Amino acid sequence: MDVIEAILSRRSARAFLTTSVAKETIAEILDLSARAPSGTNMQPWKVYVVTGGVKEALTQETLHCRETENEAHVPEYKYYPDEWDEPYLSRRKKIGLDLYSILGLARENREGMRAQQGRNYEFFGAPVGLFFTIDKHLEIGSWLDYGMFIENIMLVAREKGLHSCPQAAWPSYHRIVRKHLHIPQDEAVICGMSLGYLDEGAPENRLETERAPASEFTEFIGF
Ligand SMILES: Cc1cc2nc3c(=O)[nH]c(=O)nc-3n(C[C@H](O)[C@H](O)[C@H](O)COP(=O)(O)O)c2cc1C
């Protein structure tokens, strides 16, 4: 698979087969992904990979807390703005509406949408969950580096026949994640990820997302 093929075939998968993924394969993906550049080669990433009983216990406790004490769980950092304006608002709405429409969920079906959001905490059925943490004292530049590392993981996963879904849904429940995976307090849980083999027949995975063309977000100067 070449890079372009990997980029074009990556999508956020939201239904996986239960087929397991070898620890060695994941270790290889992470070794390759750590070739990502980072300012002064700081390599600010730390990864926790979970499967089996620990993953199941994490899912169960998170889903339980989501039902009983949802408000008490907030992320350690802000991913999204408080005020949404254009073009971000329309893009955000479109992906939600497109996904729910594929799943046959009407706009007023709040319960159905919430249940679909809850699939995040089941890793969408994937056998492996990854959690990414960063030293809390590192600066925004290291977060920039981190995104490159995470994208590498998703692209190398494609080379291995695997799919992924990066998940900002998880940091809200960092206290539970921290407890189950023994993550120290000086690390912030910045993202989760589901990893596994795509369930090709699942409607969720038919979602096609659009991108604005480069001509819309690029200024070519001096050409
Ligand atoms: C850092 C990050 C966090 C994300 N968090 C979630 C999430 O919690 N749940 C989810 O279903 N998708 C999540 N996504 C997937 C985005 O919705 C998706 O990347 C976007 O709609 C574009 O679709 P594509 O990845 O299929 O190309 C996340 C993506 C990124 C990069």
Side-chain angles (χ1 to χ4, degrees), residues 10-12 14 79-80 95 120 124 154 165-170 191 207 209 211:
R10 186 214 59 79
R11 58 178 57 199
S12 295
R14 295 189 180 86
Y79 191 178
Y80 298 112
I95 157 139
N120 271 288
F124 302 108
M154 297 189 286
C165 185
Q167 295 175 272
W170 275 109
C191 191
L207 179 66
T209 57
R211 297 296 190 275

mmCIF file of all heavy atoms in Angstrom, residues 10-12 14 79-80 95 120 124 154 165-170 191 207 209 211, ligand 1:
data_model
loop_
_atom_site.group_PDB
_atom_site.id
_atom_site.type_symbol
_atom_site.label_atom_id
_atom_site.label_comp_id
_atom_site.label_asym_id
_atom_site.label_seq_id
_atom_site.Cartn_x
_atom_site.Cartn_y
_atom_site.Cartn_z
ATOM 1 N N ARG A 10 -8.185 5.376 4.695
ATOM 2 C CA ARG A 10 -8.457 5.579 6.120
ATOM 3 C C ARG A 10 -9.770 6.313 6.291
ATOM 4 O O ARG A 10 -10.070 7.252 5.563
ATOM 5 C CB ARG A 10 -7.334 6.408 6.780
ATOM 6 C CG ARG A 10 -7.498 6.509 8.297
ATOM 7 C CD ARG A 10 -7.024 7.828 8.845
ATOM 8 N NE ARG A 10 -7.707 8.963 8.276
ATOM 9 C CZ ARG A 10 -8.927 9.377 8.641
ATOM 10 N NH1 ARG A 10 -9.598 8.775 9.602
ATOM 11 N NH2 ARG A 10 -9.491 10.423 8.033
ATOM 12 N N ARG A 11 -10.540 5.855 7.196
ATOM 13 C CA ARG A 11 -11.755 6.568 7.582
ATOM 14 C C ARG A 11 -11.998 6.213 9.032
ATOM 15 O O ARG A 11 -11.428 5.239 9.532
ATOM 16 C CB ARG A 11 -12.938 6.137 6.730
ATOM 17 C CG ARG A 11 -13.210 4.644 6.814
ATOM 18 C CD ARG A 11 -14.406 4.237 6.006
ATOM 19 N NE ARG A 11 -14.243 4.642 4.617
ATOM 20 C CZ ARG A 11 -15.261 4.743 3.758
ATOM 21 N NH1 ARG A 11 -16.484 4.507 4.165
ATOM 22 N NH2 ARG A 11 -15.060 5.071 2.511
ATOM 23 N N SER A 12 -12.806 6.967 9.694
ATOM 24 C CA SER A 12 -13.104 6.616 11.076
ATOM 25 C C SER A 12 -14.118 5.482 11.066
ATOM 26 O O SER A 12 -15.263 5.676 10.654
ATOM 27 C CB SER A 12 -13.648 7.841 11.818
ATOM 28 O OG SER A 12 -12.634 8.817 11.897
ATOM 29 N N ARG A 14 -16.635 2.823 12.617
ATOM 30 C CA ARG A 14 -17.505 2.828 13.805
ATOM 31 C C ARG A 14 -18.218 1.503 13.994
ATOM 32 O O ARG A 14 -19.226 1.416 14.694
ATOM 33 C CB ARG A 14 -18.473 4.008 13.741
ATOM 34 C CG ARG A 14 -17.738 5.345 13.816
ATOM 35 C CD ARG A 14 -18.650 6.535 13.964
ATOM 36 N NE ARG A 14 -17.860 7.775 14.028
ATOM 37 C CZ ARG A 14 -17.440 8.461 12.971
ATOM 38 N NH1 ARG A 14 -17.731 8.042 11.761
ATOM 39 N NH2 ARG A 14 -16.728 9.562 13.125
ATOM 40 N N TYR A 79 -11.419 20.518 23.730
ATOM 41 C CA TYR A 79 -11.188 20.167 22.335
ATOM 42 C C TYR A 79 -11.975 21.116 21.427
ATOM 43 O O TYR A 79 -11.465 21.612 20.434
ATOM 44 C CB TYR A 79 -11.616 18.711 22.112
ATOM 45 C CG TYR A 79 -11.205 18.115 20.779
ATOM 46 C CD1 TYR A 79 -11.504 16.791 20.484
ATOM 47 C CD2 TYR A 79 -10.521 18.843 19.819
ATOM 48 C CE1 TYR A 79 -11.130 16.222 19.275
ATOM 49 C CE2 TYR A 79 -10.139 18.288 18.607
ATOM 50 C CZ TYR A 79 -10.448 16.974 18.339
ATOM 51 O OH TYR A 79 -10.078 16.416 17.149
ATOM 52 N N TYR A 80 -13.242 21.355 21.788
ATOM 53 C CA TYR A 80 -14.125 22.134 20.920
ATOM 54 C C TYR A 80 -14.398 23.513 21.514
ATOM 55 O O TYR A 80 -14.364 23.687 22.732
ATOM 56 C CB TYR A 80 -15.451 21.386 20.738
ATOM 57 C CG TYR A 80 -15.279 20.038 20.068
ATOM 58 C CD1 TYR A 80 -15.498 18.853 20.769
ATOM 59 C CD2 TYR A 80 -14.870 19.970 18.742
ATOM 60 C CE1 TYR A 80 -15.333 17.614 20.150
ATOM 61 C CE2 TYR A 80 -14.697 18.734 18.125
ATOM 62 C CZ TYR A 80 -14.933 17.565 18.826
ATOM 63 O OH TYR A 80 -14.750 16.355 18.216
ATOM 64 N N ILE A 95 -21.826 15.912 9.579
ATOM 65 C CA ILE A 95 -21.347 14.557 9.873
ATOM 66 C C ILE A 95 -22.309 13.825 10.807
ATOM 67 O O ILE A 95 -22.612 12.652 10.621
ATOM 68 C CB ILE A 95 -19.893 14.517 10.396
ATOM 69 C CG1 ILE A 95 -19.657 13.247 11.184
ATOM 70 C CG2 ILE A 95 -19.494 15.631 11.271
ATOM 71 C CD1 ILE A 95 -18.412 12.603 10.986
ATOM 72 N N ASN A 120 -19.032 4.579 21.428
ATOM 73 C CA ASN A 120 -17.637 4.981 21.621
ATOM 74 C C ASN A 120 -16.997 4.187 22.757
ATOM 75 O O ASN A 120 -15.842 3.777 22.685
ATOM 76 C CB ASN A 120 -17.559 6.465 21.984
ATOM 77 C CG ASN A 120 -17.471 7.377 20.775
ATOM 78 O OD1 ASN A 120 -16.437 7.433 20.112
ATOM 79 N ND2 ASN A 120 -18.558 8.069 20.473
ATOM 80 N N PHE A 124 -16.677 0.611 19.676
ATOM 81 C CA PHE A 124 -17.389 0.222 18.459
ATOM 82 C C PHE A 124 -17.185 -1.260 18.134
ATOM 83 O O PHE A 124 -17.137 -1.641 16.969
ATOM 84 C CB PHE A 124 -16.940 1.094 17.272
ATOM 85 C CG PHE A 124 -17.132 2.571 17.479
ATOM 86 C CD1 PHE A 124 -16.048 3.407 17.690
ATOM 87 C CD2 PHE A 124 -18.406 3.128 17.476
ATOM 88 C CE1 PHE A 124 -16.215 4.772 17.887
ATOM 89 C CE2 PHE A 124 -18.589 4.498 17.671
ATOM 90 C CZ PHE A 124 -17.486 5.317 17.870
ATOM 91 N N MET A 154 -2.788 5.639 12.403
ATOM 92 C CA MET A 154 -3.966 5.302 11.596
ATOM 93 C C MET A 154 -3.571 4.907 10.172
ATOM 94 O O MET A 154 -4.206 4.040 9.570
ATOM 95 C CB MET A 154 -4.947 6.471 11.618
ATOM 96 C CG MET A 154 -5.469 6.735 13.043
ATOM 97 S SD MET A 154 -6.820 7.909 13.148
ATOM 98 C CE MET A 154 -5.974 9.452 12.862
ATOM 99 N N CYS A 165 -10.536 4.284 14.796
ATOM 100 C CA CYS A 165 -11.354 5.485 15.014
ATOM 101 C C CYS A 165 -10.729 6.274 16.164
ATOM 102 O O CYS A 165 -10.685 5.785 17.303
ATOM 103 C CB CYS A 165 -12.807 5.143 15.361
ATOM 104 S SG CYS A 165 -13.843 6.628 15.484
ATOM 105 N N PRO A 166 -10.211 7.479 15.877
ATOM 106 C CA PRO A 166 -9.694 8.306 16.974
ATOM 107 C C PRO A 166 -10.892 8.782 17.784
ATOM 108 O O PRO A 166 -11.958 9.044 17.226
ATOM 109 C CB PRO A 166 -9.023 9.478 16.245
ATOM 110 C CG PRO A 166 -9.737 9.584 14.924
ATOM 111 C CD PRO A 166 -10.212 8.189 14.580
ATOM 112 N N GLN A 167 -10.737 8.893 19.109
ATOM 113 C CA GLN A 167 -11.913 9.183 19.944
ATOM 114 C C GLN A 167 -11.647 10.254 20.994
ATOM 115 O O GLN A 167 -11.002 9.993 22.013
ATOM 116 C CB GLN A 167 -12.372 7.890 20.629
ATOM 117 C CG GLN A 167 -12.873 6.836 19.651
ATOM 118 C CD GLN A 167 -13.194 5.546 20.371
ATOM 119 O OE1 GLN A 167 -12.326 4.705 20.553
ATOM 120 N NE2 GLN A 167 -14.424 5.423 20.810
ATOM 121 N N ALA A 168 -12.228 11.419 20.742
ATOM 122 C CA ALA A 168 -12.183 12.476 21.755
ATOM 123 C C ALA A 168 -13.277 12.248 22.794
ATOM 124 O O ALA A 168 -13.379 13.004 23.764
ATOM 125 C CB ALA A 168 -12.352 13.834 21.088
ATOM 126 N N ALA A 169 -14.077 11.214 22.577
ATOM 127 C CA ALA A 169 -15.145 10.901 23.542
ATOM 128 C C ALA A 169 -14.552 10.418 24.869
ATOM 129 O O ALA A 169 -15.156 10.599 25.933
ATOM 130 C CB ALA A 169 -16.062 9.821 22.965
ATOM 131 N N TRP A 170 -13.369 9.820 24.792
ATOM 132 C CA TRP A 170 -12.812 9.204 25.999
ATOM 133 C C TRP A 170 -12.273 10.167 27.061
ATOM 134 O O TRP A 170 -12.419 9.894 28.276
ATOM 135 C CB TRP A 170 -11.717 8.198 25.617
ATOM 136 C CG TRP A 170 -12.256 6.838 25.278
ATOM 137 C CD1 TRP A 170 -12.313 6.268 24.042
ATOM 138 C CD2 TRP A 170 -12.810 5.871 26.182
ATOM 139 N NE1 TRP A 170 -12.874 5.013 24.123
ATOM 140 C CE2 TRP A 170 -13.188 4.739 25.424
ATOM 141 C CE3 TRP A 170 -13.042 5.860 27.564
ATOM 142 C CZ2 TRP A 170 -13.771 3.610 25.997
ATOM 143 C CZ3 TRP A 170 -13.616 4.730 28.134
ATOM 144 C CH2 TRP A 170 -13.969 3.626 27.345
ATOM 145 N N CYS A 191 -6.690 11.473 24.198
ATOM 146 C CA CYS A 191 -7.479 10.857 23.118
ATOM 147 C C CYS A 191 -7.510 9.348 23.317
ATOM 148 O O CYS A 191 -6.589 8.772 23.886
ATOM 149 C CB CYS A 191 -6.774 11.198 21.800
ATOM 150 S SG CYS A 191 -7.685 10.821 20.318
ATOM 151 N N LEU A 207 -20.488 5.633 5.953
ATOM 152 C CA LEU A 207 -20.422 7.102 6.016
ATOM 153 C C LEU A 207 -19.250 7.634 5.178
ATOM 154 O O LEU A 207 -18.110 7.207 5.345
ATOM 155 C CB LEU A 207 -20.245 7.552 7.476
ATOM 156 C CG LEU A 207 -20.131 9.050 7.718
ATOM 157 C CD1 LEU A 207 -21.436 9.758 7.380
ATOM 158 C CD2 LEU A 207 -19.741 9.338 9.162
ATOM 159 N N THR A 209 -17.246 11.055 4.273
ATOM 160 C CA THR A 209 -17.098 12.447 4.713
ATOM 161 C C THR A 209 -16.449 13.278 3.606
ATOM 162 O O THR A 209 -15.645 12.758 2.837
ATOM 163 C CB THR A 209 -16.261 12.532 5.998
ATOM 164 O OG1 THR A 209 -14.989 11.917 5.760
ATOM 165 C CG2 THR A 209 -16.950 11.851 7.167
ATOM 166 N N ARG A 211 -14.398 16.801 2.104
ATOM 167 C CA ARG A 211 -13.359 17.773 2.460
ATOM 168 C C ARG A 211 -13.452 18.951 1.513
ATOM 169 O O ARG A 211 -13.714 18.766 0.320
ATOM 170 C CB ARG A 211 -11.948 17.165 2.332
ATOM 171 C CG ARG A 211 -11.641 15.998 3.263
ATOM 172 C CD ARG A 211 -11.649 16.387 4.730
ATOM 173 N NE ARG A 211 -11.131 15.294 5.555
ATOM 174 C CZ ARG A 211 -11.845 14.273 6.013
ATOM 175 N NH1 ARG A 211 -13.143 14.201 5.738
ATOM 176 N NH2 ARG A 211 -11.284 13.313 6.737
HETATM 177 C C1 LIG B 1 -8.776 13.712 17.582
HETATM 178 C C2 LIG B 1 -10.064 13.165 17.018
HETATM 179 C C3 LIG B 1 -11.078 12.792 17.863
HETATM 180 C C4 LIG B 1 -12.245 12.211 17.363
HETATM 181 N N1 LIG B 1 -13.200 11.766 18.230
HETATM 182 C C5 LIG B 1 -14.225 11.015 17.775
HETATM 183 C C6 LIG B 1 -15.090 10.357 18.684
HETATM 184 O O1 LIG B 1 -14.981 10.487 19.899
HETATM 185 N N2 LIG B 1 -16.063 9.560 18.175
HETATM 186 C C7 LIG B 1 -16.235 9.383 16.830
HETATM 187 O O2 LIG B 1 -17.138 8.638 16.433
HETATM 188 N N3 LIG B 1 -15.421 10.004 15.929
HETATM 189 C C8 LIG B 1 -14.408 10.787 16.364
HETATM 190 N N4 LIG B 1 -13.528 11.378 15.487
HETATM 191 C C9 LIG B 1 -13.696 11.135 14.051
HETATM 192 C C10 LIG B 1 -14.152 12.359 13.257
HETATM 193 O O3 LIG B 1 -15.524 12.538 13.390
HETATM 194 C C11 LIG B 1 -13.735 12.121 11.796
HETATM 195 O O4 LIG B 1 -12.338 12.101 11.711
HETATM 196 C C12 LIG B 1 -14.264 13.173 10.819
HETATM 197 O O5 LIG B 1 -15.652 13.201 10.813
HETATM 198 C C13 LIG B 1 -13.757 12.879 9.398
HETATM 199 O O6 LIG B 1 -14.138 11.572 9.006
HETATM 200 P P1 LIG B 1 -13.086 10.449 8.622
HETATM 201 O O7 LIG B 1 -12.142 10.281 9.779
HETATM 202 O O8 LIG B 1 -13.914 9.208 8.407
HETATM 203 O O9 LIG B 1 -12.350 10.883 7.408
HETATM 204 C C14 LIG B 1 -12.408 12.045 15.963
HETATM 205 C C15 LIG B 1 -11.396 12.486 15.098
HETATM 206 C C16 LIG B 1 -10.237 13.040 15.620
HETATM 207 C C17 LIG B 1 -9.151 13.464 14.679
#
